[in-house]
Amino acid sequence: MRETVKTMTLRLNAAEYAHLCQQAEVTGLKKEPLVRQLIMGVNLRPRPPDAYADLLRALSAIGNNINQLAHQANTRGAATGDEITEALRLVQQATRLVRERL
């Protein structure tokens, strides 16, 4: 069964329209979907910056490397100085990436 689509005209003054456009930009939604979401009571949040996806991938790779170092240390019962230095370097790299992107 097909849903019946209803249409309506919405009149906004210049300030209201500017605010709608600004909210659409912030959320990354087009104006119509934004209004639909608001009508349905969805709590909209700002769209994350584009750099977040790259940052999450980099942090995931760093986390995987640290996990591998921890696994090797657990297997042998200890971590070498070089492994600890490498883990520290990876954490510092993650911190630098976050600061650069935010």
Side-chain angles (χ1 to χ4, degrees):
M1 182 174 192
R2 263 186 110 159
E3 183 178 331
T4 304
V5 176
K6 304 290 184 185
T7 62
M8 67 176 277
T9 301
L10 177 64
R11 296 179 192 274
L12 303 172
N13 65 31
E16 293 165 339
Y17 185 74
H19 183 71
L20 176 64
C21 291
Q22 189 265 339
Q23 292 300 305
E25 179 70 28
V26 167
T27 60
L29 296 171
K30 294 185 178 182
K31 289 183 278 295
E32 281 188 30
L34 172 64
V35 171
R36 284 190 197 103
Q37 295 283 322
L38 291 171
I39 289 169
M40 297 307 293
V42 174
N43 185 18
L44 298 174
R45 293 185 271 161
R47 177 184 66 188
D50 294 336
Y52 272 30
D54 293 338
L55 179 59
L56 288 175
R57 276 191 292 281
L59 288 173
S60 178
I62 290 167
N64 287 337
N65 288 340
I66 291 173
N67 192 38
Q68 289 172 1
L69 291 172
H71 179 69
Q72 290 174 3
N74 286 334
T75 300
R76 289 192 310 271
T80 67
D82 288 343
E83 290 168 337
I84 294 169
T85 300
E86 176 65 7
L88 177 59
R89 186 189 68 74
L90 292 170
V91 170
Q92 289 169 336
Q93 180 184 359
T95 303
R96 182 180 48 76
L97 284 169
V98 168
R99 287 185 178 144
E100 287 174 359
R101 304 292 172 108
L102 299 179

